[in-house]
Amino acid sequence: MKVIHTTIFFLLILSAQSAYADAFVKALLLVNEGSYPEAKAVIEKGLKKDATNAPLHFIAAKYFSSEDNKSFHLDSAYFHASKAHSLFPGTLKEGKLKKLARLGVRNFTINQLLQNICTTAYQKADSINTLEAWEHFIHTYSKARQLSIATERRNHLAYEDAMGSFTYESFKDFMERYPNAEQVTDAHQLYESLLYKKMTESGSWQAYEDFLKKHPGSPYFKEAKEKYELLLFRDFTKDHSLKSYEDFMLKYPENPYTKQAQDSIYAIVTKSRTVFDIQKFIRTYPKNRNIMLAWKELFEVYNVKRDPVILEQFKTYNPDYPYGEQLEREITLARRLVVSFEKNGLYGFRDSASREVLVPPLFDEVYPFSEGLAAVVVGNCEDLCAFGYVDKDGELVIKPQFNEGEDFVNGFAIVGKGDCYNDNCRYGFINRKGEIVVPLEYDEVYEFSEGLALVRKRRLGYGFVDTKGNVRVRLKYTDGGNFSGGLAPVLSDSLWGYIDQSGEWKIPPRFSQAGDFSEGLAPVALSDGLWGYINDSGNFVIEPRFSFAAPFEKNIAKVIVMEKVKGVMMQVEKLIDREGKIIQQN
């Protein structure tokens, strides 16, 4: 009671001394006794009269922060406490400040009330724990000590919301709203990733082009550019035509896939590997990056036989050939006549004119030169031997490493590994560099014809491979022959027919025997054993009437007919023309 009386005493003194304190004193007494409606009227009237009255703002803050007050409102309490904090002490004189201090109004108590209000507001936001609640606290209670913690809580919830949506828009919105949040780095990475994914989800080059134009600073710019260039190239050249590759290079010279376009142009123009087509490429595309390769290819195709006459022709017809020294050497080697010789049971080669030893006698066997290379053998093939190849200059260009080796034909040689002497061997092909172009995995292989070679595996059958070792016709036939005019005979279910290079039947199997096409005709036999000739449509142009028929050569073919000789029916060999007429022989 003594304390209360003392307080009232000082209030009366303050009230009697200053009109400034009238509203404050009345409001303080009314708030302290819980007369909130009356206190509200006094506060509103006083602040209306003087909006800079710091003590009255302090009492207003107490009024709105009193929990038993029906008008309890933390936001209003904070507003007035904040006002009191910023206005106090203002222009109040020392005497008045002392008197206010006795009534509990000084910087410390104002700040304490302010922070108590903030703490209560923080606890309220914490109990709700929603993004909206934290947003309200942060924007309303700017002087709260918990502001940094509240900001972290707010940012965490906002980032969780963005993660829940998981769109580039949600992360963009998060970064724009909360640029200082610690999650901004992660949000930025996800934004860039999702934006890139969204803008390019169609997978078209147009989508990547649009992305590159709109987002040049994206961390995915390089990846997008690479995909754009690839997709543009693929779309522009999707028909794989010569014109599309040419047009692409003209329109997009900076695209890195112009190199691939150049390679495709080279592959298309020189697909047949003929002299004419390779020369056409060299004339038409002198700036193509494969131009030197084309010259080498032209030389190899032209010079596959290593014939000096043909090489001289090559030199005459191709004065711009860039490897002149190599050409002169090849001409010299092609003219050189080389013979084998034996010394102490070993063999080598020497120049037949000068008798100069070109290849010392180091080999157990040697074979004649074919296309400028000769097979040489080290060891006894009844036990184990190794085949290699030398050139006419005496250089061992392919070291002995194969257990069987045949002559080079059109730039390729059949080689084998295993016990080839006892027919337990696997065969394939090598080129002139000794590189294996067809794997050594076949039980039988035959020379290439029109770019394909007949091969066989015991468990599968016969099929065809190309010069790169790719199986072009599946191994499934009982027997087969060579390609000629785009067709090859194969045996299926005891009957012969003809397939093209894709393995499709062009002449269905209906013959008991069949030979290779030559000069547009192929000898075939029907079930009665009689032979005739068909064209590439499978129609007989020479009806079956021969006991046997061989392929045509220079418009003439050998056949066997049954004829009486001295009264006895015998098989007699005859020659026929393309109409099937017997040619009289002298």
Side-chain angles (χ1 to χ4, degrees):
M1 291 299 294
K2 184 179 180 181
V3 174
I4 294 173
H5 290 158
T6 303
T7 301
I8 293 172
F9 172 74
F10 282 113
L11 283 172
L12 291 172
I13 294 173
L14 185 62
S15 177
Q17 291 182 346
S18 174
Y20 177 85
D22 285 348
F24 166 71
V25 173
K26 290 178 183 179
L28 178 59
L29 288 171
L30 292 169
V31 168
N32 284 343
E33 68 182 22
S35 300
Y36 296 117
E38 294 83 354
K40 179 182 179 183
V42 174
I43 293 169
E44 288 179 347
K45 183 178 179 181
L47 289 176
K48 186 175 181 180
K49 186 175 182 181
D50 182 7
T52 63
N53 189 327
L56 199 53
H57 278 292
F58 174 74
I59 295 303
K62 289 177 67 69
Y63 166 82
F64 283 110
S65 63
S66 298
E67 295 185 10
D68 61 341
N69 182 3
K70 290 183 179 180
S71 297
F72 172 80
H73 193 265
L74 285 174
D75 292 357
S76 298
Y78 175 79
F79 171 79
H80 289 289
S82 181
K83 276 286 188 178
H85 183 269
S86 62
L87 292 171
F88 193 84
T91 59
L92 294 175
K93 294 181 179 180
E94 186 177 350
K96 291 180 180 179
L97 290 174
K98 288 181 178 179
K99 292 169 183 176
L100 287 170
R102 293 189 188 99
L103 297 172
V105 184
R106 63 184 193 278
N107 277 326
F108 173 77
T109 56
I110 294 173
N111 187 60
Q112 186 178 45
L113 176 61
L114 179 69
Q115 292 305 321
N116 287 342
I117 292 169
C118 290
T119 298
T120 304
Y122 177 83
Q123 292 170 346
K124 180 181 178 182
D126 184 48
S127 66
I128 300 172
N129 196 32
T130 63
L131 178 61
E132 292 75 14
W134 289 118
E135 285 279 18
H136 179 77
F137 177 84
I138 292 166
H139 292 296
T140 304
Y141 299 89
S142 58
K143 292 183 173 63
R145 294 193 183 101
Q146 303 90 344
L147 201 60
S148 61
I149 298 174
T151 301
E152 289 179 7
R153 298 283 296 276
R154 184 273 313 273
N155 293 348
H156 177 75
L157 289 175
Y159 186 64
E160 283 189 344
D161 281 357
M163 287 291 289
S165 299
F166 209 76
T167 63
Y168 77 88
E169 294 96 340
S170 68
F171 290 110
K172 180 181 180 182
D173 182 64
F174 173 81
M175 292 187 294
E176 290 176 348
R177 287 174 176 269
Y178 315 109
N180 297 318
E182 65 177 17
Q183 298 90 346
V184 162
T185 300
D186 292 339
H188 184 262
Q189 291 176 352
L190 289 169
Y191 161 75
E192 294 286 5
S193 174
L194 292 170
L195 174 66
Y196 175 56
K197 184 177 180 181
K198 180 66 176 178
M199 288 194 66
T200 61
E201 62 184 351
S202 68
S204 67
W205 64 263
Q206 292 91 341
Y208 284 97
E209 182 181 46
D210 186 48
F211 177 83
L212 292 171
K213 289 178 180 178
K214 293 181 178 178
H215 302 281
S218 170
Y220 294 92
F221 185 86
K222 181 180 179 182
E223 180 182 327
K225 187 171 184 292
E226 290 173 354
K227 289 188 176 181
Y228 158 72
E229 290 167 339
L230 174 60
L231 292 169
L232 176 65
F233 170 69
R234 286 178 175 173
D235 186 53
F236 206 94
T237 61
K238 59 189 173 186
D239 64 352
H240 303 292
S241 67
L242 180 62
K243 187 177 186 306
S244 69
Y245 290 114
E246 291 175 335
D247 290 346
F248 177 80
M249 290 182 60
L250 287 172
K251 191 168 183 179
Y252 303 101
E254 301 302 319
N255 189 297
Y257 288 92
T258 53
K259 294 179 180 179
Q260 191 167 327
Q262 290 186 63
D263 295 344
S264 297
I265 289 172
Y266 175 66
I268 291 170
V269 176
T270 64
K271 182 179 180 180
S272 65
R273 293 187 78 248
T274 63
V275 169
F276 176 81
D277 285 340
I278 299 173
Q279 286 178 329
K280 178 182 176 182
F281 174 83
I282 292 171
R283 290 193 306 270
T284 309
Y285 306 97
K287 295 184 179 180
N288 188 289
R289 72 181 192 139
N290 297 285
I291 192 68
M292 302 306 286
L293 180 62
W295 275 114
K296 290 181 179 180
E297 183 81 359
L298 178 65
F299 177 77
E300 287 299 322
V301 173
Y302 213 104
N303 188 35
V304 70
K305 300 293 184 183
R306 264 48 180 185
D307 184 304
V309 176
I310 295 176
L311 286 173
E312 287 290 356
Q313 290 176 349
F314 179 85
K315 180 180 178 180
T316 301
Y317 297 151
N318 299 279
D320 297 328
Y321 182 66
Y323 303 102
E325 291 185 7
Q326 178 202 22
L327 178 58
E328 293 299 334
R329 177 177 177 274
E330 290 289 346
I331 291 174
T332 300
L333 291 177
R335 286 173 176 163
R336 179 177 286 168
L337 296 177
V338 178
V339 295
S340 62
F341 71 97
E342 181 265 340
K343 184 176 181 179
N344 299 327
L346 296 177
Y347 295 86
F349 290 98
R350 63 188 176 194
D351 190 301
S352 63
S354 67
R355 312 297 291 175
E356 175 190 358
V357 174
L358 303 174
V359 180
L362 301 172
F363 304 101
D364 294 281
E365 292 182 55
V366 295
Y367 292 84
F369 278 87
S370 61
E371 298 184 358
L373 296 176
V376 295
V377 182
V378 175
N380 182 357
C381 289
E382 291 188 19
D383 298 323
L384 188 65
C385 62
F387 281 72
Y389 293 84
V390 297
D391 64 14
K392 289 185 178 181
D393 227 10
E395 183 180 352
L396 187 65
V397 295
I398 302 173
K399 67 179 182 179
Q401 58 188 290
F402 306 105
N403 303 121
E404 188 169 318
E406 298 187 10
D407 291 347
F408 273 87
V409 178
N410 295 323
F412 301 98
I414 296 171
V415 295
K417 278 194 174 183
D419 187 0
C420 301
Y421 189 82
N422 293 306
D423 197 28
N424 186 19
C425 197
R426 293 292 179 270
Y427 297 95
F429 286 86
I430 59 171
N431 59 20
R432 292 179 58 83
K433 296 178 182 179
E435 298 168 337
I436 295 174
V437 293
V438 175
L440 279 63
E441 58 184 36
Y442 298 100
D443 297 300
E444 296 178 36
V445 296
Y446 298 86
E447 292 175 0
F448 283 100
S449 58
E450 298 187 352
L452 297 182
L454 181 69
V455 297
R456 172 178 172 264
K457 287 185 178 180
R458 288 191 179 93
R459 294 181 180 179
L460 300 176
Y462 289 85
F464 292 86
V465 297
D466 61 22
T467 56
K468 294 183 179 179
N470 302 310
V471 176
R472 293 281 295 279
V473 177
R474 190 160 62 91
L475 281 65
K476 62 178 182 178
Y477 300 104
T478 309
D479 204 348
N482 295 321
F483 272 96
S484 177
L487 299 176
V490 290
L491 179 62
S492 177
D493 295 330
S494 301
L495 291 175
W496 288 82
Y498 292 82
I499 60 170
D500 63 16
Q501 291 201 352
S502 67
E504 296 292 327
W505 288 107
K506 292 301 178 182
I507 301 175
R510 58 190 177 93
F511 308 107
S512 61
Q513 298 287 336
D516 296 342
F517 270 90
S518 175
E519 299 180 7
L521 299 177
V524 295
L526 297 177
S527 58
D528 58 7
L530 294 179
W531 289 73
Y533 292 85
I534 60 171
N535 60 20
D536 57 10
S537 296
N539 300 318
F540 276 101
V541 294
I542 300 176
E543 292 299 321
R545 65 178 189 273
F546 309 110
S547 298
F548 178 75
F552 272 88
E553 186 175 348
K554 296 180 180 179
N555 294 319
I556 296 175
K558 292 180 181 180
V559 296
I560 294 177
V561 298
M562 296 300 296
E563 198 174 86
K564 271 190 179 183
V565 178
K566 296 181 181 181
V568 179
M569 294 297 294
M570 298 181 63
Q571 291 185 338
V572 180
E573 185 179 286
K574 298 285 185 179
L575 298 177
I576 63 171
D577 61 19
R578 292 180 64 85
E579 294 181 355
K581 296 178 181 179
I582 302 294
I583 299 174
Q584 297 299 324
Q585 297 172 274
N586 296 327

